[in-house]
């Protein structure tokens, strides 16, 4: 233990008090509630749920408020809470093909059964600040909401068309149950099940940068978005005492499947390859980035030479967890007096030795 840390309890309590005051801000301004964060900052809530591995909008909103809007810190808080929860078992794999979609687009086909469903998106908005939004508005009337009701329905998977033609290999479930990264350490080599879990929990910013690198030639893949879909899927759980699945609720998911460059050879006909991304809530940028990085990490499956950072599984998976990365970087703020004094003494000794050797070599210097 560092001696300097002893007796610092009062300073730490004062720091916590200062943090609480800073979090509250000007008391003349109404305090923001977790319900407001949940409903009006929903994209931030969805990111925290995804990277925190816990689907609970209320807890994610609370974590964002407690963290003063620092989403990485909020993810840390949510993961810490998650470790205290009992585990009863695992749910059945969700069927995203039966998703009740609120947004569903494809950049590989113009006309698809069910149509292109734009849903809620920034894609076609002007990136201009709207001064009117600084003034609180009233909720839209029921009549307006009925007139502008979004499409909701079940649409077939776009990539199923390529699968039927044999142009894209089908990807079924594995013979063995998937691993659980939240209960087992990351040990290489890892299967795709663990890779996808890691990418789902990965920091969105790093994943976005890695995905961008694959498009600029540092990943050797040319992606098309086969389909992005966002909506609600049902979750089933099989209690041991019943022995059959029971519907326990539904969750909102964003799923992305990318169509990538084709592969052929070794007696196999030419076919496309695919990347996959899945995230809680409306988390489109994360899902797309995940799909691109997933495909880059599959280079060994297709006998591709791994020459880029996005294709290096150890580099990507070891460094993409923002909670671990944040802890390791921010621990530098803690006292390192003993370590530095040791290095300082060593540098002074080396300089003294160097000066002595120089004086011995040239007495007239």
């Amino acid at each position: 233990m560092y001696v300097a840390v002893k007796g610092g309890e009062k300073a730490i309590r004062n720091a916590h008090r200062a943090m609480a005051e800073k979090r509250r801000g000007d008391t003349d301004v109404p305090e923001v509630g977790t319900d407001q964060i949940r409903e009006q900052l929903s994209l931030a809530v969805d990111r925290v749920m995804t990277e925190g591995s816990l689907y609970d909008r209320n807890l994610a909103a609370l974590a964002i408020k407690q963290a003063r809007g620092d989403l990485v810190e909020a993810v840390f808080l949510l993961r810490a809470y998650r470790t205290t929860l009992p585990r009863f078992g695992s749910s059945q794999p969700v069927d995203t093909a039966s998703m009740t979609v609120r947004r569903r687009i494809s950049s590989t086909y113009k006309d698809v059964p069910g149509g292109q469903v734009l849903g809620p998106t920034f894609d076609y908005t002007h990136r201009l600040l709207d001064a009117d939004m600084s003034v609180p508005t009233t909720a839209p009337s029921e009549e307006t909401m009925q007139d502008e009701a979004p499409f909701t329905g079940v649409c077939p998977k776009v990539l199923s068309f390529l699968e039927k033609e044999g142009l894209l290999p089908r990807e079924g479930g594995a013979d063995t149950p998937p691993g659980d990264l939240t209960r087992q350490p990351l040990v290489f080599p890892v299967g795709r099940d663990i890779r996808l879990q890691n990418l789902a929990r990965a920091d969105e910013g790093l994943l976005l940068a890695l995905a961008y690198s694959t498009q600029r030639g540092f990943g050797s893949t040319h992606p098309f978005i086969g389909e992005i879909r966002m909506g609600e899927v049902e979750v089933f759980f099989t209690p041991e005492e019943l022995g059959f699945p029971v519907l326990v609720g539904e969750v909102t998911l964003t799923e992305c499947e990318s169509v990538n460059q084709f592969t052929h050879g070794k007696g196999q006909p030419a076919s496309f390859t695919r990347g996959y991304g899945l995230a809680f809530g409306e988390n489109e940028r994360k899902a797309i980035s995940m799909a691109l990085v997933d495909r880059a990490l599959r280079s060994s499956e297709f006998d591709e030479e791994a020459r880029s950072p996005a294709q290096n599984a150890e580099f990507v998976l070891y460094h993409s967890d923002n909670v671990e990365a944040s802890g390791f970087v921010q621990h530098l703020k803690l006292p390192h007096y003993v370590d530095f004094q040791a290095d300082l003494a060593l540098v002074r000794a080396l300089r003294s030795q160097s000066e002595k050797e120089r004086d011995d070599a040239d007495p007239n210097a």
Side-chain angles (χ1 to χ4, degrees):
M1 174 181 287
Y2 292 104
V3 175
V5 174
K6 294 182 179 179
E9 292 88 351
K10 182 177 180 181
I12 292 173
R13 284 197 301 269
N14 289 337
H16 288 168
R17 194 156 37 243
M19 169 65 79
E21 293 176 359
K22 193 69 175 177
R23 179 191 297 119
R24 177 59 183 89
D26 188 346
T27 55
D28 290 335
V29 177
E31 182 177 2
V32 64
T34 56
D35 55 341
Q36 295 170 295
I37 297 174
R38 184 190 66 236
E39 297 300 325
Q40 299 175 43
L41 300 179
S42 59
L43 297 183
V45 168
D46 291 344
R47 175 180 174 179
V48 169
M49 289 196 306
T50 298
E51 297 176 17
S53 299
L54 182 61
Y55 191 93
D56 191 308
R57 295 189 180 280
N58 292 323
L59 290 177
L62 174 61
I64 291 172
K65 179 177 180 178
Q66 184 174 334
R68 292 175 55 198
D70 183 335
L71 299 189
V72 175
E73 179 69 18
V75 169
F76 198 164
L77 290 169
L78 201 61
R79 284 199 197 175
Y81 177 80
R82 185 183 187 276
T83 63
T84 69
L85 300 176
R87 172 166 295 208
F88 303 105
S90 300
S91 63
Q92 302 292 319
V94 296
D95 181 12
T96 55
S98 63
M99 175 187 291
T100 303
V101 301
R102 286 191 283 134
R103 172 165 165 77
R104 184 275 198 125
I105 61 170
S106 171
S107 62
T108 54
Y109 291 98
K110 178 181 179 181
D111 299 313
V112 290
Q116 306 272 6
V117 183
L118 297 186
T121 178
F122 291 116
D123 290 348
Y124 307 100
T125 60
H126 297 293
R127 264 62 176 201
L128 301 173
L129 286 176
D130 186 354
D132 293 337
M133 295 187 67
S134 62
V135 180
T137 58
T138 57
S141 64
E142 292 186 6
E143 181 180 353
T144 301
M145 294 178 66
Q146 291 174 357
D147 292 341
E148 300 177 357
F151 169 88
T152 56
V154 177
C155 300
K157 288 291 194 75
V158 172
L159 295 194
S160 63
F161 310 138
L162 292 176
E163 292 176 345
K164 290 177 181 178
E165 287 190 59
L167 300 177
L168 183 69
R170 296 180 183 273
E171 296 183 348
D175 296 332
T176 58
D180 187 346
L181 186 60
T182 66
R183 309 182 83 181
Q184 303 163 354
L186 184 64
V187 178
F188 289 90
V190 297
R192 194 178 179 207
D193 57 335
I194 295 295
R195 288 208 312 262
L196 288 172
Q197 290 179 47
N198 186 289
L199 295 178
R201 289 159 54 92
D203 180 77
E204 181 182 311
L206 176 60
L207 219 57
L208 177 64
L210 289 171
Y212 181 42
S213 75
T214 68
Q215 295 178 273
R216 299 187 64 250
F218 294 89
S220 302
T221 64
H222 188 289
F224 297 93
I225 299 301
E227 181 178 20
I228 297 170
R229 55 172 55 205
M230 184 274 293
E232 282 66 47
V233 296
E234 295 179 332
V235 179
F236 290 86
F237 178 75
T238 303
E240 291 184 4
E241 61 272 20
L242 296 181
F244 57 85
V246 177
L247 176 64
V248 294
E250 64 179 22
V251 297
T252 302
L253 298 176
T254 299
E255 181 184 52
C256 175
E257 291 186 282
S258 64
V259 180
N260 296 70
Q261 65 195 42
F262 59 85
T263 181
H264 65 95
K266 295 185 178 180
Q268 298 295 325
S271 63
F272 290 106
T273 58
R274 118 171 60 197
Y276 185 78
L278 186 73
F280 285 148
E282 297 178 45
N283 217 332
E284 200 164 281
R285 185 167 52 227
K286 172 66 173 286
I288 297 174
S289 300
M290 181 177 170
L292 268 59
V293 176
D294 169 53
R295 173 56 184 86
L297 291 175
R298 302 183 69 186
S299 56
S300 61
E301 296 180 36
F302 307 116
D303 295 324
E304 299 169 351
E305 183 181 359
R307 298 175 297 178
S308 305
Q311 295 172 295
N312 186 322
E314 292 195 25
F315 174 79
V316 173
L317 303 185
Y318 268 142
H319 301 102
S320 57
D321 191 308
N322 56 26
V323 170
E324 185 173 335
S326 177
F328 210 69
V329 170
Q330 295 200 80
H331 99 283
L332 297 173
K333 296 183 292 186
L334 298 177
H336 285 74
Y337 312 130
V338 175
D339 294 337
F340 179 71
Q341 290 301 318
D343 284 350
L344 186 60
L346 177 59
V347 170
R348 284 172 173 166
L350 291 173
R351 287 175 63 91
S352 178
Q353 181 181 353
S354 177
E355 292 172 359
K356 184 177 182 302
E357 290 175 352
R358 186 171 62 248
D359 292 343
D360 292 343
D362 185 4
N364 299 321

